[in-house]
Amino acid sequence: MTLAALDNLVKTGGLKQEPPDQQEFDGMLYAGRRRLQDAQVPGLSEEGQFSLAYGAAHALSLAALRWHGYRSESRYLVFQCLQHTLGLEAGKWRVVDLCHKRRNLTEYEGHLDVPSRLIDELLQVTKEILFLVERLGPVVE
C-alpha cells in the first residue's frame, strides 16, 4: 500500500484528510455487510442484486478510505483508491469501477445493462473487499 499516492490526491483536491472515527467506520462496515448479505438473497432480481452489491462495495471501500484518515466526495475515486487502502489488485478494483459506470447509466440515463456475469464478479470482489476491510482492525485514533 502506498499512502503517498493518497497524500498526492489530497494535494490535488481529490481527497481530504480527516481523522478516522471508529463509530463511522463501524457503521460503514455494518452497511456493507448487510447490503452484501441482502444482494445474495435467492430470487432477488438482477437489478436488485446489482444495486445492493454496488452499495456494499461503496460502503466498504469508503470504510477503508476512512480507516486510513481520508475522505472523498467522489465515488469513482473511492474505488480507485482500493489499490492503496487495501492493496486490491487493479483488475479487481476495475470491476467495481466498471460497475460504477453502469450504475451511472442506470441512475442518470435510465439504461440498465448489467450482464449476470458482471454481477457475479461484483459479488466476488465485494466479498474480498469485505475480508480485507475486516482485517484492518480497529481504527487508530
Side-chain angles (χ1 to χ4, degrees):
M1 280 183 274
T2 57
L3 297 183
L6 300 180
D7 289 336
N8 286 337
L9 287 170
V10 170
K11 291 176 188 171
T12 62
L15 295 180
K16 297 175 186 169
Q17 283 188 306
E18 185 177 312
D21 176 88
Q22 186 68 52
Q23 188 173 0
E24 181 183 27
F25 176 80
D26 291 344
M28 291 174 186
L29 182 58
Y30 174 81
R33 280 184 186 134
R34 186 64 187 198
R35 289 178 184 143
L36 180 58
Q37 180 183 22
D38 289 351
Q40 298 174 83
V41 169
L44 191 63
S45 70
E46 287 186 341
E47 292 85 359
Q49 275 189 306
F50 177 77
S51 180
L52 287 164
Y54 174 84
H58 181 257
L60 295 167
S61 299
L62 187 55
L65 192 62
R66 292 295 300 124
W67 188 90
H68 287 286
Y70 299 92
R71 181 179 297 281
S72 177
E73 309 268 325
S74 169
R75 285 178 174 260
Y76 80 89
L77 200 54
V78 170
F79 296 134
Q80 291 178 359
C81 287
L82 285 167
Q83 63 186 322
H84 306 295
T85 58
L86 297 175
L88 194 69
E89 61 190 65
K92 292 182 180 179
W93 70 257
R94 285 191 180 117
V95 168
V96 184
D97 188 56
L98 174 61
C99 290
H100 171 72
K101 291 173 183 158
R102 298 288 177 106
R103 173 232 176 228
N104 283 352
L105 284 173
T106 302
E107 293 288 320
Y108 304 119
E109 297 179 23
H111 178 71
L112 180 63
D113 181 26
V114 182
S116 58
R117 182 173 162 248
L118 182 57
I119 295 170
D120 292 341
E121 287 179 53
L122 176 59
L123 285 166
Q124 285 307 115
V125 170
T126 304
K127 289 175 188 177
E128 185 171 344
I129 292 169
L130 172 60
F131 174 77
L132 294 169
V133 169
E134 290 175 332
R135 288 186 53 203
L136 290 172
V139 167
V140 179
E141 298 181 58

